[in-house]
Amino acid sequence: MTLTARRMQRTLQAAGAGAAALLVLSACSSSGDSSAAESPTSASASSADQLSGTVTVFAAASLKESFTTLGETFEKAHPGTKVTFSFGGSDSLAASITGGAPADVFASASPGTMKIVTDAGDAAGTPAAFVRNQLEIATLPGNPDRIASLADLTRSGLKVVLCDRTVPCGAAAQKALAAGGLELEPVSYEQDVKAALTKVELKEADAAVVYRTDVHAAGGKVKGVEFPESAQAVNAYPIVRLKGADNAGAADAFIALVRSAEGRQVLTEAGFLEP
C-alpha cells in the first residue's frame, strides 16, 4: 500500500470514530440525561402533577381561616387532591395523634404541644417553625368597658374568658399575666381560642385573651386591644409530616406550600408574625 493510500485509510478511520462518538453522546442526551435537561421548575411541575388523594391536616384552631385558604389553593394547584382539616386545641390534637388517629400533617400552636408528638415518635423528620403569634384582648364591639390594658381585666364585675391552661393560647395568657404581676380568675376556661372568642362574639363575656389573628378574623364582631405583656408570650408554630402519613407526597407538598412565599403572604395577611 502506498503512503497516500495509508493516509486516506487513517483519515476514514478517524472520521468513523468521531461519528460513533457523536452517536453515543446523542443517545445519552436523548435518554439518560433527559430528566437532567429539564429545568427544576418543569421537574417539580411533573412531580406535582402526580399528586392525588386526600391529605389530612391536624391544625391549631387559630390556623383555621388561613389554612382553609391554603387548602383551596393546594387543591387548585393539584387537581385530584383533597385537603381535609381537623382544627382544635393543639394539646387535644396531639393526644389524638399519639392515640393513633390517622393524619398526614400536624401544625401546632406551640413547640410544647408539638413535643408531645415528637416524643412519642410520631413525627417524620424535624418540625419546622413557620409563623409566630401574639396575644390580644378581644372586647365587645366599641369596647364599652374601656379596657385599655391587661390589668383592666382584673376589675371587679368584668366577665373575662381565657383559654384552658393546657392549650397554647391559655399557657401564653398565663405567661403574660405573670409578666405583668397579675392574677386573673376568669368566668370560664375554654378548650381552644375559637371557643374563647365566641364567648365575646355572643356577648356571653366582656373580654377574652386570644390571638391577634383571631381578632383579625372576627372582623367587626370584636374590638382588639394590644398590651405590652404579650411580647413576653409569643408562640412559635411548628409543622411536620407524621410518620404514619397515608399520603406522604401530598403531605410534603402541602407543608412546602405553607412555608413558601405564597403561604407566608396568606399567613401574614391574617396577622401572623414571621417565624
Side-chain angles (χ1 to χ4, degrees):
M1 181 179 292
T2 66
L3 178 60
T4 301
R6 284 197 299 271
R7 286 176 177 172
M8 289 181 65
Q9 186 178 28
R10 288 171 185 165
T11 301
L12 289 170
Q13 288 173 343
L22 286 173
L23 285 172
V24 171
L25 288 172
S26 175
C28 288
S29 64
S30 63
S31 58
D33 289 345
S34 61
S35 60
E38 291 182 18
S39 68
T41 301
S42 63
S44 298
S46 175
S47 174
D49 290 341
Q50 298 173 5
L51 296 177
S52 63
T54 299
V55 188
T56 302
V57 179
F58 280 22
S62 49
L63 291 165
K64 183 175 182 179
E65 291 78 15
S66 51
F67 263 34
T68 298
T69 297
L70 289 175
E72 293 169 354
T73 299
F74 186 85
E75 291 172 354
K76 289 177 183 177
H78 307 291
T81 62
K82 175 68 176 177
V83 185
T84 62
F85 293 104
S86 180
F87 295 107
S90 294
D91 62 325
S92 297
L93 296 175
S96 295
I97 291 167
T98 57
D104 300 300
V105 176
F106 179 41
S108 170
S110 75
T113 44
M114 176 60 75
K115 192 172 184 295
I116 297 171
V117 172
T118 56
D119 284 354
D122 290 323
T126 303
F130 62 100
V131 287
R132 293 177 300 134
N133 212 350
Q134 195 163 343
L135 297 173
E136 270 191 17
I137 299 168
T139 74
L140 297 171
N143 194 4
D145 295 298
R146 300 184 181 279
I147 297 168
S149 68
L150 191 62
D152 285 346
L153 297 184
T154 64
R155 293 199 315 243
S156 176
L158 206 61
K159 293 184 293 184
V160 179
V161 171
L162 298 177
C163 298
D164 192 88
R165 295 169 183 264
T166 61
V167 298
C169 68
Q174 294 302 321
K175 190 179 294 185
L177 287 166
L182 301 169
E183 292 186 6
L184 173 62
E185 188 63 38
V187 293
S188 69
Y189 286 103
E190 300 300 320
Q191 62 183 353
D192 61 49
V193 70
K194 294 298 185 187
L197 186 69
T198 298
K199 289 286 188 177
V200 181
E201 291 177 336
L202 296 177
K203 297 181 172 57
E204 295 175 0
D206 301 312
V209 179
V210 297
Y211 290 121
R212 58 187 293 180
T213 52
D214 297 292
V215 172
H216 181 277
K221 295 179 181 178
V222 299
K223 170 70 175 176
V225 177
E226 297 180 356
F227 56 97
E229 294 88 351
S230 66
Q232 306 300 315
V234 177
N235 278 357
Y237 282 48
I239 189 169
V240 74
R241 171 165 59 88
L242 297 171
K243 186 173 289 185
D246 290 330
N247 198 344
D252 286 340
F254 180 78
I255 292 172
L257 172 62
V258 170
R259 300 184 65 195
S260 70
E262 183 178 8
R264 189 72 51 79
Q265 181 177 351
V266 171
L267 289 159
T268 54
E269 286 179 354
F272 287 97
L273 304 170
E274 295 282 345

